[in-house]
Amino acid sequence: MPVVSRRRFLSTTAGLGAGLGAVAAAGGGALAAQVEKSAKESSSDLRGLPAGWRTMKKLDAHNHVMQGVHKPGADWSAVERTVEAAKILGIDTLYCSRPLTGGVMASIEAVRDANDSVLAAMKRYPDVIAGYCFVQPGNGKDALEEIDRCIDAGMIGIKLYNQFKYSDPAVFPVAEKCIELKIPFLGHSAYLTDPKTKEAQPRTSNARDFGELATRYPELLLILGHINGGGDWEWAIRTLRDFPTVYLDTSGSVLEDDTIDLCVRELGHRRLLFATDLTMEGGVGKILGAKLTPEQREDIFWRNFQGILDRRPK
Amino acid sequence: MIVDLNTFLGHYPFRRLRFTTAGDMVAHLDAHGIEAALVSPTHAFFYRDAHRGNEELLEAVGPFPGRLFAVGMVNPAYAGWERDLRWLAEQGRVKAIALAPEHHAYRLADDRGQAALQQIAELKLPVVLTQRLEDRRQRHHWDIADDLKVDDVVTAANVPTLRLVLLNWLGLPADKLLAAGLRGRCLIDFARMSVVMSKDVPKLIEALGPESIGFGSHMPFDYTAAALVKQSNVLEVLPDVAEQIAWKNADRFLGLGLSDGGR
């Protein structure tokens, strides 16, 4: 477990002097050592959490680098905070993308620029950050070439946002490329029931769109992103019962009780991939709070996703 | 010891919850190492007469003194609310009074909202404002209540002696709360905030002091373990304020009597 000092933790907030004087002054103690101690000594574990939860292996299958950190003089603070949080929570690897949001039909130059920031983060934190290539299918042949560029540079899969529904034929060449390279296709998803949100994201794919793509391409390593990313997750889980080849990741800002448990009851635990999508404490907490056997928890925390990664050619 | 500020009892109309009774809630607290909870009445958000929800909640928590502490709710847009408020205060069985302007169709800034805020302040009880029960992006089509806004907090803060309990909030700008004079007058739970990564909790502590933050899970809507992870992180990175956040702030702000061996 790498060292994160308390002084360093506090220094990455806006100052934290007045309200935390004694805490800030205390700094210097190695947080990592405390974390390891916590994992070993149940006395410092909170009773409601599984013992040693911090040291359980975790692969975060859906996370982000959302800043242009590849540019000179870039502000790395958000990435640093994300990496620091991963260390504190015992997340071994963050699989990150930088999607262009807001439904923007981004040019290939903008897409390359977004992916370059993830590549820069991978270079700076090779032991923590891995990358997904963001793709805008409307870029056609350029999109496919961008996938090659990113995978050759060490990325592990592709990430789509809401520029196209995944049942749209524009997406098919991207799916075929993923099959050819044996890489995962992670897609933004939500079954939105709020009229305002739906209006703002008319091409957001729901579980049925994923199902249509999976039916067309049963060999595709398709991951429905953030089951708790906002939207009716019960509907999504029910729908996915009919599409057994679709994986789903557990991330999202919604921390609703029974989500993970319902996934396991309805879909089995092997299709579930631990992820946080930047809701890092809650994302870990959901998996710890679900009624799982230790083996099921391990599978969800890392083994299921490792199985997907292992399909790529060595 | 942990006191959970952000808990609710009762059925929710739009989703099945895994527990809806006080007995099951206490069992859940026990399983999660949580000593006590401040419990808000879910039914009072939805009943035409919110006070019927209070009566149900008080009956439910009665057998669990020192474990479940009730929040009352009044609807100032409904007949007889002032009498209900006085009754709740005189009974001494609630630790705070909640308002739900979105669910009960009034505004805190209008005459009804202002009257409720003033009278709660006069009774020296804190007011509870819950930003949301669940994420709006999955709303049932009958669920038209929007999230409360920061302006609602500022409106309540403008009542000079009123103390605020803010539950299930995200996006509270520390500078706005400070400018509204809330330092020392508010208790905010961290159910939707982060300790690490975006560091909402440390930022609020810096502005409002460590006495302003409390443990909150939003049970039974949300996974309790998510809040326990946050409290674990408080223990690791802010150990000097961990006990305050876990229970002492709640005990002091709400007068739970736990530090006097209240159980």
Side-chain angles (χ1 to χ4, degrees), chain B:
Chain B
M1 180 166 7
I2 294 176
V3 176
D4 192 338
L5 292 167
N6 185 349
T7 82
F8 291 76
L9 200 56
H11 292 277
Y12 182 60
F14 308 119
R15 178 163 77 89
R16 187 181 76 95
L17 301 174
R18 280 206 280 193
F19 61 84
T20 54
T21 69
D24 286 347
M25 178 177 270
V26 169
H28 184 84
L29 295 177
D30 289 339
H32 288 81
I34 298 172
E35 188 77 8
L38 184 72
V39 189
S40 296
T42 307
H43 295 173
F45 282 82
F46 299 97
Y47 287 172
R48 279 190 293 269
D49 181 356
H51 191 60
R52 299 283 88 84
N54 295 330
E55 291 168 341
E56 283 180 346
L57 180 67
L58 289 171
E59 187 180 340
V61 304
F64 302 100
R67 300 297 310 277
L68 304 182
F69 296 95
V71 171
M73 182 180 279
V74 292
N75 174 2
Y78 202 77
W81 71 271
E82 288 159 304
R83 184 193 300 250
D84 298 335
L85 178 59
R86 281 197 304 277
W87 182 85
L88 288 167
E90 285 161 7
Q91 287 278 309
R93 292 168 62 200
V94 296
K95 296 298 178 184
I97 302 292
L99 295 176
E102 278 289 331
H103 290 79
H104 296 156
Y106 65 92
R107 293 275 167 265
L108 291 181
D110 71 21
D111 290 347
R112 295 162 298 182
Q114 286 295 299
L117 292 169
Q118 292 288 348
Q119 291 191 35
I120 294 166
E122 284 163 20
L123 291 166
K124 296 187 168 49
L125 284 164
V127 68
V128 176
L129 299 175
T130 299
Q131 187 178 27
R132 61 162 57 160
L133 291 177
E134 69 168 3
D135 193 288
R136 305 294 66 219
R137 292 169 294 178
Q138 63 190 45
R139 72 170 74 202
H140 188 282
H141 64 278
W142 279 6
D143 182 6
I144 58 167
D146 274 325
D147 288 2
L148 296 189
K149 309 288 188 295
V150 175
D151 284 352
D152 293 309
V153 175
V154 173
T155 298
N158 285 339
V159 177
T161 59
L162 186 62
R163 294 178 303 131
L164 278 62
V165 178
L166 302 176
L167 299 184
N168 220 40
W169 283 78
L170 186 64
L172 283 172
D175 55 343
K176 256 196 170 176
L177 301 191
L178 197 58
L182 280 177
R183 188 174 179 120
R185 288 173 56 206
C186 68
L187 183 59
I188 305 166
D189 92 280
F190 64 27
R192 290 180 61 219
M193 300 182 189
S194 64
V195 177
V196 299
M197 227 288 282
S198 54
K199 304 190 180 181
D200 309 303
V201 169
K203 287 172 188 168
L204 282 173
I205 288 175
E206 185 190 13
L208 299 170
E211 68 274 16
S212 63
I213 304 293
F215 180 99
S217 72
H218 202 50
M219 75 169 73
F221 292 91
D222 288 0
Y223 277 110
T224 307
L228 292 173
V229 167
K230 291 171 196 180
Q231 186 61 32
S232 292
N233 285 345
V234 169
L235 277 163
E236 297 294 348
V237 299
L238 304 170
D240 293 6
V241 299
E243 265 205 302
Q244 277 179 273
I245 290 171
W247 70 277
K248 285 185 173 176
N249 290 341
D251 187 38
R252 178 190 47 79
F253 198 90
L254 298 162
L256 304 182
L258 296 171
S259 51
D260 314 324
R263 286 189 58 187

Side-chain angles (χ1 to χ4, degrees), chain A residues 192-213:
Chain A
L192 298 167
T193 57
D194 173 47
K196 269 193 286 190
T197 315
K198 267 167 95 165
E199 193 183 341
Q201 297 189 39
R203 285 183 293 275
T204 288
S205 296
N206 62 46
R208 186 154 294 282
D209 298 303
F210 281 79
E212 285 186 36
L213 189 62

Side-chain angles (χ1 to χ4, degrees), chain A residues 66-124:
Chain A
M66 292 306 280
Q67 299 73 30
V69 289
H70 57 299
K71 293 180 174 150
D75 177 3
W76 280 87
S77 60
V79 180
E80 286 167 359
R81 285 197 305 272
T82 307
V83 169
E84 177 189 74
K87 289 176 179 177
I88 290 169
L89 292 163
I91 299 172
D92 298 71
T93 312
L94 303 166
Y95 293 85
C96 296
S97 63
R98 188 184 175 201
L100 296 170
T101 59
V104 174
M105 292 294 177
S107 66
I108 191 62
E109 290 77 18
V111 168
R112 286 186 191 124
D113 186 71
N115 289 325
D116 282 345
S117 63
V118 176
L119 291 168
M122 288 164 60
K123 190 173 177 184
R124 183 156 170 162

